[in-house]
Amino acid sequence: MSRIYEITERVATYAPNSDIDLINRAYVFAAHSHAGQMRNSGEAYITHPLAVADILASLGMDTSTIVTGLLHDTVEDTSVTLADVEQHFGADVAGLVDGVTKIGQIHFSSKEQKQAENFRKMILATAKDLRVLIVKLADRLHNMRTLGFMSEHKRRVIGEETLEIYAPLAHRLGIHWIKQEMEDLVFSYLETDAYKSLLFEMQDRLEGLNQTRERLESVIQQALLRQGLKAQVQGRMKHLYSIHEKMQRKHVDFEEIFDLLAFRVIVEDMTTCYQALGVVHSLYRPVPGRFKDYIAIPKPNGYQSLHTVVIGPENFRIEVQIRTEAMHVYAEDGVAAHWAYKEGENSQEQDSFKWLKQLTDVLKDADNPGELLEDVRLDLFVREVYVFSRDGDIYSLPRGARPLDFAYAVHTDIGQHCVGVRINGEVSDFSVRLRNGDQIEVMTSPDQTPSRQWLQYVKTPRAKQSIRQWFRRQERDSSIRMGEKILCESVGVKDVGLDVLKKCECADLDELKVRLGRGDIGIHKLFAAMPQQRLMPLKLTGMKRTYMHAAECCHPIPGDGVVGQLNASEGMVLHHSKCNAMNDGNKQDWIEVDWQAKPGQLFKTGIEIRSQNKRGSLANVTRTIADAGSSIEDLKLNQRGGSVTELLFLVEVEDRVHLARVLRAIKGVDGVVKVSRRNRVGLSGKPETRALGETLRDFFAGRKASKESK
Ligand code: MN
């Protein structure tokens, strides 16, 4: 049982200037408030707050937190109010007690949804002050230690909640020993049989293991000393739950677990860590792939160490952790280590709490608790994901990064030519979010180039910039080609004199071509600079479709008079020479083009048909269009009242001659009153789903009718 003087003595040791009197007063206050209350164990209730305060003192927490430990159940379980606490112990303590009380009122249900929501509330409530969470962990730890006095049902509920919520929280806060003790306690209460038999088997081998441990401690110690390295070497048994978990995970028996021992080597400074690693590796053969450098890349919870697994005597696999004293304190107590009376040097502490603030923001926005819980379980509080290349190199990417981010992180060329990825050996698509520990293999092809859609699937600035840059280069290339064509065909020259370049304010011919191709320099400006020239139409045959396309406002087709308008992102946009768009903008900069279709190349245009409402008439029209060698891209129906329906089609044709043939054929369809080309067909966007659905219903009804009539 913890005693108050033991606690105050301890606090006085690590924090000589703390307010011991306040702690004593809190003890008296709590003992008085809980007077007459009993724990399930039959002990006086005050033993519980005392034990909690004791745990907090062992973490080196500040006075307010210790006081909170003593008072944490007063508001919840006695007649004491928060105002009383504030009056006697100040606002800081009252705030903490309030936080702990609030968490105590959250009851987790086994239903995932509810659990996540409550979990979120809990984090939000405590994010304001991490000390609340640490008190809650201490509270839960002591309750777990005394769980045996609870009913079977309560044991299960509290045990599961501890395993699901509190042990992971302790882990994420880096308070390793609390996590381990909680897990072992849950294991002993919830899987008593498995626990007992494991314990039994352990005891059987305990003597042997202890001898091995002692021998190895001294072997490692001596080897380090021979190299002039001062170190503390501590061997320990793995905790029971982790052994149990491993047996479950690997489906093996206890005899088959060879890594029951773990060693810690604590050295003076970081350089020595790496030297000590070398010594350990020269003593025992390292297991390939098991070395992890958490000094260079700390774990998200701030943990630092070198980890390695070596094969020791009798084929024992031995885990060795190498770290400095400071890293060791942090590894044991986690964020609590930062708290412990370090006022004045707290800048690092601010950093280690940043993730909590970020998490709070994420949680506020989350609207799918189930998904959230999934995230929380796996990557709770993580700002970054660490993934491996096929060769085992570690890459750190922001949380939410996807495969293309990884590909671009490896090398821009790898990203640019990425055709697919394998994650942990399985083919995966670009939309997947990477998880810690994923191993990623990028597949590339020299023919692959980025697509604009990729921008939706990248998170890192590096990938975004690389993709955008690629498109800018593409635009520049196509602008140069376009500018070249304009010079050659419209102007009829291959080169221009320096005077022309100067008048156009271009440094060289390439710049002139680019700016001409982009439409930055209007054709009239170039002509003003070289007055002896005569404008000729630009031939559009043999041009890639990516460099030019027909405007969707007027849908010109070969045979129409067309003019070209230039801009950097789209290349040349062709408009019908009678298009309304011709009225605005600087008309004299539009380039006259000579437009011929290549055989087999099709262009969209609009057709308007008025037809009497007859069964099957839509089907007849569509069949006629198909028979005339055209294809329908889109269609829309407008009821014009009475017995006439207006049909709007977006069709593809080769040129005007072809279109005329299509129109003539439609005119011959029974029921068609009028047919004409319609440029502003209003079909360029997607039709409304409902309208299209109705259209299709009519269409099928019509087709069915026409079949029946045969
Ligand atoms: Mn309590």
Side-chain angles (χ1 to χ4, degrees):
M1 202 185 100
S2 318
R3 313 231 172 234
I4 188 63
Y5 63 84
E6 289 168 353
I7 296 169
T8 49
E9 271 171 20
R10 194 167 194 167
V11 174
T13 315
Y14 65 72
N17 298 326
S18 50
D19 189 350
I20 300 295
D21 183 47
L22 193 73
I23 298 175
N24 278 319
R25 278 199 284 126
Y27 167 67
V28 174
F29 186 91
H32 184 73
S33 312
H34 289 294
Q37 291 180 345
M38 299 288 223
R39 294 278 287 173
N40 280 6
S41 61
E43 290 176 296
Y45 196 91
I46 189 67
T47 55
H48 168 64
L50 267 176
V52 172
D54 197 17
I55 292 167
L56 293 168
S58 75
L59 285 167
M61 299 302 288
D62 66 347
T63 313
S64 292
T65 312
I66 308 275
V67 168
T68 303
L70 290 165
L71 301 176
H72 79 272
D73 278 332
T74 53
V75 174
E76 175 81 12
D77 296 339
T78 75
S79 57
V80 170
T81 65
L82 209 57
D84 297 335
V85 173
E86 180 162 359
Q87 191 199 327
H88 290 94
F89 302 97
D92 191 30
V93 171
L96 295 176
V97 171
D98 187 34
V100 180
T101 307
K102 276 182 181 145
I103 295 177
Q105 286 160 349
I106 302 167
H107 291 290
F108 299 100
S109 102
S110 57
K111 281 183 190 155
E112 199 174 49
Q113 187 101 358
K114 278 194 174 165
Q115 221 168 32
E117 272 167 357
N118 289 334
F119 193 76
R120 176 169 60 187
K121 281 187 213 149
M122 183 178 90
I123 302 285
L124 285 174
T126 55
K128 278 180 261 164
D129 199 320
L130 204 60
R131 291 174 296 174
V132 170
L133 200 52
I134 294 172
V135 174
K136 188 64 201 172
L137 287 175
D139 176 39
R140 176 51 62 104
L141 180 63
H142 184 247
N143 284 336
M144 283 303 297
R145 284 176 182 171
T146 53
L147 197 64
F149 300 102
M150 295 297 222
S151 69
E152 170 71 33
H153 173 71
K154 273 205 155 177
R155 264 188 242 171
R156 185 151 294 279
V157 171
I158 295 173
E160 277 169 3
E161 187 182 281
T162 302
L163 202 60
E164 287 272 301
I165 307 293
Y166 290 102
L169 262 175
H171 174 64
R172 293 305 184 182
L173 297 186
I175 313 176
H176 209 59
W177 67 269
I178 289 189
K179 177 210 177 220
Q180 289 192 350
E181 193 181 334
M182 280 180 171
E183 285 177 346
D184 275 356
L185 286 165
V186 173
F187 181 36
S188 73
Y189 286 117
L190 297 195
E191 291 176 73
T192 314
D193 291 344
Y195 177 80
K196 277 184 180 156
S197 76
L198 189 57
L199 203 61
F200 184 73
E201 290 185 274
M202 286 283 278
Q203 268 159 357
D204 236 18
R205 283 171 65 182
L206 209 56
E207 202 180 332
L209 281 168
N210 264 329
Q211 283 172 3
T212 313
R213 178 177 61 79
E214 280 170 23
R215 197 171 78 241
L216 288 188
E217 274 177 2
S218 107
V219 170
I220 297 173
Q221 183 95 61
Q222 293 304 318
L224 289 167
L225 265 180
R226 277 198 299 278
Q227 301 297 318
L229 304 177
K230 260 196 264 170
Q232 242 180 292
V233 182
Q234 300 167 344
R236 66 193 162 88
M237 299 283 295
K238 287 278 189 74
H239 78 293
L240 283 171
Y241 183 73
S242 72
I243 297 169
H244 171 67
E245 228 192 351
K246 187 162 190 176
M247 285 163 61
Q248 303 278 305
R249 201 172 59 232
K250 302 205 163 170
H251 305 287
V252 293
D253 291 332
F254 181 67
E255 289 76 35
E256 297 169 72
I257 304 260
F258 290 104
D259 53 349
L260 295 169
L261 288 176
F263 288 84
R264 253 175 224 143
V265 178
I266 295 164
V267 296
E268 279 180 335
D269 53 41
M270 201 196 286
T271 322
T272 318
C273 289
Y274 292 94
Q275 288 172 321
L277 179 78
V279 172
V280 170
H281 278 180
S282 65
L283 268 182
Y284 301 110
R285 193 158 53 85
V287 177
R290 293 297 302 273
F291 168 64
K292 295 210 174 75
D293 186 349
Y294 294 121
I295 291 180
I297 303 179
K299 283 192 182 179
N301 63 16
Y303 174 90
Q304 285 187 298
S305 265
L306 299 179
H307 283 195
T308 187
V309 177
V310 295
I311 299 176
E314 296 157 47
N315 265 343
F316 267 114
R317 279 172 167 234
I318 299 162
E319 192 184 296
V320 184
Q321 301 170 350
I322 304 168
R323 49 175 82 139
T324 66
E325 181 66 36
M327 292 174 193
H328 181 60
V329 171
Y330 190 87
E332 289 297 296
D333 292 347
V335 289
H338 280 294
W339 211 276
Y341 288 94
K342 280 186 186 168
E343 280 120 31
E345 41 172 310
N346 273 6
S347 59
Q348 206 192 336
E349 173 191 292
Q350 291 306 317
D351 274 353
S352 50
F353 295 141
K354 246 190 235 157
W355 52 259
L356 196 61
K357 297 231 158 54
Q358 283 175 351
L359 177 74
T360 320
D361 294 341
V362 172
L363 292 171
K364 271 181 198 148
D365 296 340
D367 42 38
N368 184 346
E371 198 173 277
L372 183 80
L373 187 60
E374 176 75 1
D375 279 353
V376 160
R377 276 197 190 125
L378 297 168
D379 294 320
L380 185 61
F381 308 157
V382 181
R383 281 169 289 173
E384 282 160 327
V385 287
Y386 299 101
V387 296
F388 297 90
S389 71
R390 202 182 50 177
D391 302 329
D393 294 330
I394 302 176
Y395 288 83
S396 152
L397 294 166
R399 192 183 155 90
R402 301 178 208 239
L404 282 168
D405 289 308
F406 173 78
Y408 275 99
V410 175
H411 196 281
T412 311
D413 280 347
I414 304 280
Q416 227 75 290
H417 298 296
C418 177
V419 285
V421 286
R422 281 199 194 94
I423 299 179
N424 304 323
E426 285 184 27
V427 174
S428 186
D429 63 63
F430 290 162
S431 65
V432 165
R433 284 174 204 274
L434 302 179
R435 286 163 182 248
N436 270 324
D438 279 347
Q439 190 179 51
I440 303 159
E441 187 187 336
V442 180
M443 295 171 278
T444 59
S445 155
D447 301 332
Q448 176 72 322
T449 56
S451 93
R452 291 208 185 262
Q453 261 156 354
W454 284 15
L455 287 168
Q456 296 166 23
Y457 296 127
V458 294
K459 185 173 174 96
T460 53
R462 177 180 175 148
K464 268 186 196 153
Q465 272 164 22
S466 299
I467 295 168
R468 293 214 176 98
Q469 215 166 51
W470 189 87
F471 280 107
R472 272 200 296 276
R473 260 203 317 276
Q474 288 308 106
E475 273 169 21
R476 188 186 145 85
D477 287 355
S478 64
S479 294
I480 284 196
R481 248 165 283 175
M482 181 62 80
E484 217 163 62
K485 219 170 150 57
I486 293 168
L487 267 186
C488 280
E489 294 178 11
S490 292
V491 187
V493 296
K494 279 209 150 69
D495 203 346
V496 294
L498 273 176
D499 56 322
V500 177
L501 286 178
K502 205 175 167 191
K503 277 182 197 161
C504 294
E505 294 162 60
C506 290
D508 54 27
L509 189 62
D510 266 359
E511 192 187 338
L512 180 70
K513 285 175 184 171
V514 171
R515 293 179 59 194
L516 213 50
R518 274 187 189 153
D520 287 352
I521 294 179
I523 193 82
H524 75 280
K525 186 166 181 181
L526 181 64
F527 266 81
M530 36 197 331
Q532 72 276 27
Q533 296 295 326
R534 194 172 61 85
L535 190 63
M536 287 173 293
L538 188 72
K539 291 190 190 69
L540 277 182
T541 44
M543 281 196 74
K544 274 200 201 170
R545 268 217 164 176
T546 43
Y547 300 155
M548 63 94 180
H549 63 93
E552 302 212 320
C553 54
C554 53
H555 290 297
I557 56 174
D560 289 338
V562 282
V563 287
Q565 187 190 24
L566 292 163
N567 72 61
S569 57
E570 292 176 289
M572 181 177 277
V573 184
L574 300 175
H575 287 269
H576 197 288
S577 54
K578 286 178 187 146
C579 177
N580 287 337
M582 290 285 286
N583 297 335
D584 34 78
N586 201 343
K587 203 172 166 182
Q588 52 181 334
D589 279 340
W590 294 34
I591 294 174
E592 193 190 334
V593 292
D594 177 12
W595 196 25
Q596 277 156 4
K598 280 192 287 188
Q601 200 179 0
L602 296 173
F603 299 88
K604 291 188 187 100
T605 195
I607 295 177
E608 177 183 338
I609 299 164
R610 278 168 197 246
S611 165
Q612 283 165 350
N613 292 338
K614 282 191 171 181
R615 264 165 90 82
S617 61
L618 178 61
N620 289 338
V621 170
T622 55
R623 200 172 47 239
T624 305
I625 292 172
D627 288 348
S630 172
S631 65
I632 297 164
E633 284 288 294
D634 202 350
L635 76 169
K636 194 171 166 185
L637 300 186
N638 291 328
Q639 287 297 336
R640 284 284 158 192
S643 59
V644 173
T645 302
E646 185 184 58
L647 313 169
L648 302 176
F649 285 93
L650 191 63
V651 298
E652 283 198 324
V653 294
E654 280 169 24
D655 54 15
R656 281 175 72 100
V657 178
H658 185 193
L659 178 65
R661 204 164 69 232
V662 174
L663 295 179
R664 248 194 332 272
I666 297 171
K667 222 169 222 168
V669 174
D670 183 32
V672 169
V673 183
K674 188 184 165 221
V675 56
S676 61
R677 179 173 179 188
R678 173 159 159 170
N679 288 330
R680 289 189 178 272
V681 76
L683 286 172
S684 50
K686 276 193 176 171
E688 288 166 36
T689 323
R690 192 159 167 274
L692 186 64
E694 282 166 6
T695 308
L696 291 174
R697 254 201 313 284
D698 281 5
F699 176 74
F700 286 116
R703 190 157 69 180
K704 214 173 155 193
S706 70
K707 261 189 187 166
E708 279 163 6
S709 65
K710 273 183 184 169

